[in-house]
Amino acid sequence: MAPSPKTPVDTNAAGPMLRYQKNLPKLPVPQLSQTLQKYLKSVHPLLTAEEYKRTEQAVKDFEAPGGLGQELQRRLVARAKDPNMVNWMEEWWLDQAYMGYRDPVVIYVSYFFAYKDDKLRRLPAKRAAAITTAALEFKQQVVQCQLEPEYAKGEPICMDSYKYMFNNCRIAKKPSDLAASFDPFKNTHIIAIRKNKFFVVETVQNGVQLNTNELELQFQKVIDQAGQLKGIPVGVLTAWNRDKWTDARDALLAANPINKQVIEKIETASFVVCLDDLAPKTRDELCRACWHGDGRNRYFDKPLQFIVFENGKAGFMGEHSCMDGTATCRLNEYVCDGLARNLVNHGSNDVRPNLSVPQEITFVLNKDLEETIDVAESDFETLIANHEMTVLAYQSFGKNLIKKFKSSPDGFAQMAIQLAYYKMFGVSRPTYESGQTRKFQRGRTETSRTVSDETVAFVKVMEDPHASNEAKINAFRTALKAQGQYMATAVNAHGVDRHLFGLKNSLKPNEETPALFKDPAYAYSSHWYLSTSQLTSEHFDGYGWGQVVNDGFGVAYMIKNNALQFNIASVKDLEVHGKKYVNGTYQFKQCLEDACDELRDLLMTELPALAKL
């Protein structure tokens, strides 16, 4: 049952999904002094006394009455108040964080979910069909605006990004990519990829959607038609540097008019189903296969790719530019939960005799394009060979026990990550945790800066062999409180990073960059040695993405009822400040396990006393 929010209902909304949309508050611009004080507090644990003094002066100069900082704030407030501006950050963020980014989306931008096994559906065609039926059911709710909004603390949150989910595609362009949306009612086809070959599968025939049995037949036909020989992997071009892919896409379109039709069919499709011939066995193998696979049996520009492997394992890959993980997590949770609990309507069991055969669509290639694809393949192999990913599936405890520790589950996971990092490196370094700002119109994310004076004191006392349990617990709770307070301000759009981003973007081309933005502390404090984020589903066996800097880790984590799961990604044998860490990804995994064990053992000492309360 939906909560009864204070946000007024818009009676003219297109449907229930958007009934609160127009009345959500706009993304605020925090007070300048408030942000600058918070900024100083956040950099204090990261800097030497001398560095901090320099940063303090830069902040003072920036905030001086009549100075440029005050003028930039005035411009930003004016932009936010512009009645034609829905969200002051949206356009800048989309371009600078995503569309203008030129490195490959694979590894650096895209993310994945790995599903638990479906014991009823071990054959790839059967599993692909069930996933497709469930995803199409979700699509209907989205495109007809019938999906119930999500809520945070009883209030609705922005549902706008769902329009980028189905029948969408990222289009490679210079200097910045484009987002393209297509009619979801007119385009009812999906694309299946098998052996690097693209097939159009119509999901509606004679006005009736294919039932699950019919879809299974169609996927089996795709597998049979594709045969054993692999096609030339045009899809690998989408795994390339965005400028190189832009040139290759232009060359593809110029090579033959048929290629325009092929690309249009892919771009307009509801989503993609990748029928891989890989058969990952272990959890780590499954996660890597979902993260990038062989790079060829994909079209990485599509926001939704469901992946089904030869052995019936499955997962999902999301393109991140227009839509954050919370929306696709809901889609994937709907698919997995609906299938697990038999809530999906699979339609009739009968298979119509006159179903059209899935149609293979083939690019017409010349020698130059074939050579270009060879180079893209080689670059992809180099990229992948340089990266490592492993999963800590920690089964000792999860959310249920953490709550008995009187701790926020998310805060607990953050403290474990901080302690693990300190164990490995002997220092605390800048850490990003994603906080969602979807309580505001078209809000996306804000950085929660985890490292504080309190977390540094906590990790140090934890590693002190002479410290008492009481001192360790006190330090843990103090650090937890600091992390929770910062996250609370972040989700209310009062963090540091997005506001400073807005102020910097308010500079005019001819204006000199203020000392605040040239200060080394500014770049260092947002160099995310740890990039972390939590999304949880009991139906997922993995969730992750790559690191954002090559001397850091990407740590995606799930907090299940009775388990914790950390997905750790980094470059292979990463080098940090001149020191090489051979098998560093696995070293960090071990440190995380040790940190979780130690925190559990420490907090268990309080439990008997708590039980008596």
Side-chain angles (χ1 to χ4, degrees):
M1 198 171 122
S4 304
K6 294 177 186 145
T7 308
V9 169
D10 172 15
T11 51
N12 297 318
M17 181 173 94
L18 300 174
R19 68 185 183 272
Y20 300 112
Q21 192 62 33
K22 273 191 180 168
N23 295 318
L24 292 176
K26 280 191 164 190
L27 190 74
V29 176
Q31 288 179 3
L32 183 61
S33 58
Q34 193 183 49
T35 294
L36 293 174
Q37 286 312 303
K38 200 174 288 174
Y39 172 67
L40 283 173
K41 194 170 188 287
S42 77
V43 299
H44 185 261
L46 305 170
L47 306 177
T48 64
E50 196 179 314
E51 288 167 340
Y52 183 74
K53 206 171 176 184
R54 188 176 57 212
T55 300
E56 220 172 12
Q57 188 58 49
V59 164
K60 200 174 176 185
D61 294 346
F62 188 75
E63 200 182 1
L68 190 52
Q70 301 283 356
E71 172 59 19
L72 295 176
Q73 174 75 357
R74 190 194 63 72
R75 288 176 200 168
L76 190 57
V77 169
R79 178 182 170 92
K81 284 184 175 169
D82 180 346
N84 300 315
M85 182 72 63
V86 176
N87 181 310
W88 64 259
M89 196 180 79
E90 182 179 35
E91 191 184 314
W92 288 339
W93 187 251
L94 183 63
D95 180 59
Q96 292 166 51
Y98 293 108
M99 294 305 194
Y101 185 78
R102 302 286 87 189
D103 280 339
V105 291
V106 193
I107 297 295
Y108 296 114
V109 180
S110 300
Y111 59 96
F112 71 87
F113 303 125
Y115 297 167
K116 284 185 172 175
D117 287 347
D118 184 340
K119 288 174 183 172
L120 295 174
R121 302 174 181 93
R122 293 196 185 275
L123 295 173
K126 190 180 267 297
R127 186 139 200 212
I131 289 168
T132 299
T133 294
L136 289 173
E137 200 170 85
F138 195 82
K139 175 187 170 176
Q140 289 311 313
Q141 292 185 39
V142 169
V143 300
Q144 292 169 5
C145 293
Q146 296 299 310
L147 187 69
E148 180 60 25
E150 288 149 51
Y151 299 86
K153 301 207 161 146
E155 289 300 310
I157 60 176
C158 181
M159 299 295 285
D160 181 76
S161 66
Y162 279 86
K163 71 187 181 198
Y164 297 114
M165 191 173 271
F166 297 96
N167 304 94
N168 272 260
C169 199
R170 179 172 175 156
I171 311 289
K173 281 272 184 218
K174 290 180 186 178
S176 199
D177 290 357
L178 304 173
S181 299
F182 304 95
D183 187 333
F185 298 101
K186 199 169 85 177
N187 296 291
T188 56
H189 66 285
I190 59 172
I191 293 292
I193 315 178
R194 172 73 176 180
K195 300 284 184 183
N196 312 332
K197 302 168 188 176
F198 296 88
F199 295 83
V200 176
V201 178
E202 294 293 346
T203 66
V204 175
Q205 292 193 23
N206 300 323
V208 179
Q209 184 178 303
L210 272 64
N211 62 49
T212 303
N213 284 351
E214 290 175 329
L215 285 168
E216 182 182 345
L217 181 72
Q218 299 297 68
F219 284 124
Q220 192 56 53
K221 282 179 184 170
V222 167
I223 292 168
D224 295 342
Q225 275 177 254
Q228 292 306 309
L229 287 178
K230 295 204 173 199
I232 296 172
V234 179
V236 78
L237 294 172
T238 64
W240 215 4
N241 168 283
R242 302 306 296 176
D243 284 343
K244 291 178 180 177
W245 166 215
T246 301
D247 292 341
R249 186 176 183 277
D250 291 344
L252 262 180
L253 292 170
N256 193 295
I258 287 173
N259 292 344
K260 184 173 189 285
Q261 296 168 26
V262 173
I263 278 190
E264 279 178 358
K265 269 294 181 192
I266 297 168
E267 290 173 351
T268 58
S270 295
F271 51 84
V272 171
V273 177
C274 307
L275 296 163
D276 277 22
D277 56 9
L278 302 169
K281 305 284 192 303
T282 67
R283 186 183 282 110
D284 278 13
E285 284 172 356
L286 176 62
C287 285
R288 282 208 73 141
C290 291
W291 189 28
H292 54 70
D294 68 359
R296 296 159 178 83
N297 206 56
R298 299 277 184 280
Y299 201 85
F300 290 109
D301 289 357
K302 290 294 281 182
L304 310 180
Q305 291 191 96
F306 296 97
I307 308 159
V308 181
F309 299 98
E310 198 78 343
N311 55 0
K313 287 184 181 291
F316 167 87
M317 186 178 207
E319 199 285 307
H320 206 318
S321 55
C322 291
M323 204 171 33
D324 294 314
T326 49
T328 50
C329 182
R330 184 171 176 192
L331 158 70
N332 281 273
E333 171 75 14
Y334 181 93
V335 168
C336 294
D337 189 60
L339 294 175
R341 296 199 291 137
N342 204 23
L343 304 173
V344 174
N345 179 4
H346 291 287
S348 162
N349 289 327
D350 300 334
V351 174
R352 287 171 275 177
N354 56 346
L355 291 179
S356 64
V357 175
Q359 177 201 353
E360 184 177 355
I361 47 173
T362 310
F363 287 97
V364 179
L365 304 173
N366 54 36
K367 193 169 184 299
D368 285 349
L369 278 166
E370 287 184 16
E371 285 173 3
T372 298
I373 290 167
D374 284 346
V375 176
E377 283 189 271
S378 172
D379 286 355
F380 175 82
E381 291 300 333
T382 304
L383 179 70
I384 294 311
N386 192 35
H387 284 82
E388 201 67 87
M389 178 177 276
T390 186
V391 183
L392 171 63
Y394 186 80
Q395 306 293 346
S396 178
F397 63 91
K399 182 169 67 177
N400 293 344
L401 185 62
I402 293 170
K403 284 188 166 178
K404 287 184 182 171
F405 293 152
K406 298 282 192 279
S407 166
S408 136
D410 183 69
F412 182 97
Q414 285 292 321
M415 292 310 120
I417 292 166
Q418 286 303 309
L419 181 54
Y421 194 91
Y422 190 76
K423 281 176 175 294
M424 183 164 169
F425 296 97
V427 66
S428 296
R429 291 199 177 107
T431 302
Y432 166 95
E433 182 186 0
S434 178
Q436 70 165 3
T437 52
R438 281 178 59 199
K439 68 191 292 183
F440 303 101
Q441 278 189 53
R442 297 194 200 159
R444 292 196 62 172
T445 59
E446 170 62 282
T447 302
S448 182
R449 293 185 166 210
T450 304
V451 176
S452 61
D453 287 326
E454 292 85 351
T455 64
V456 171
F458 155 69
V459 295
K460 284 181 174 173
V461 80
M462 283 298 291
E463 288 296 279
D464 179 355
H466 307 295
S468 67
N469 281 351
E470 188 183 6
K472 290 178 179 178
I473 290 170
N474 285 341
F476 170 76
R477 300 219 177 275
T478 307
L480 208 58
K481 191 175 174 189
Q483 184 268 346
Q485 283 173 341
Y486 199 109
M487 178 55 88
T489 62
V491 298
N492 283 310
H494 278 67
V496 161
D497 292 85
R498 303 296 184 260
H499 188 192
L500 291 179
F501 170 83
L503 293 168
K504 198 176 179 188
N505 272 282
S506 300
L507 277 165
K508 289 177 180 170
N510 59 342
E511 288 175 327
E512 194 187 338
T513 304
L516 175 71
F517 297 125
K518 292 192 279 194
D519 175 24
Y522 177 72
Y524 178 70
S525 70
S526 57
H527 182 92
W528 307 123
Y529 291 85
L530 283 164
S531 174
T532 74
S533 183
Q534 186 221 143
L535 283 174
T536 298
S537 168
E538 295 288 342
H539 298 288
F540 298 167
D541 206 21
Y543 144 61
W545 23 262
Q547 76 290 345
V548 295
V549 293
N550 280 343
D551 50 359
F553 296 104
V555 184
Y557 57 99
M558 295 193 283
I559 303 170
K560 300 182 180 183
N561 289 333
N562 295 301
L564 300 172
Q565 197 156 313
F566 299 90
N567 190 96
I568 305 146
S570 75
V571 298
K572 201 169 275 188
D573 302 338
L574 81 164
E575 193 173 300
V576 187
H577 293 225
K579 184 177 176 185
K580 193 159 187 157
Y581 293 83
V582 176
N583 286 328
T585 329
Y586 294 93
Q587 283 187 49
F588 188 65
K589 175 184 181 177
Q590 186 60 56
C591 290
L592 254 177
E593 186 177 342
D594 294 345
C596 288
D597 285 346
E598 285 177 27
L599 282 174
R600 175 200 60 201
D601 293 347
L602 174 68
L603 294 167
M604 286 293 276
T605 63
E606 279 197 320
L607 272 193
L610 285 173
K612 292 171 192 166
L613 294 176

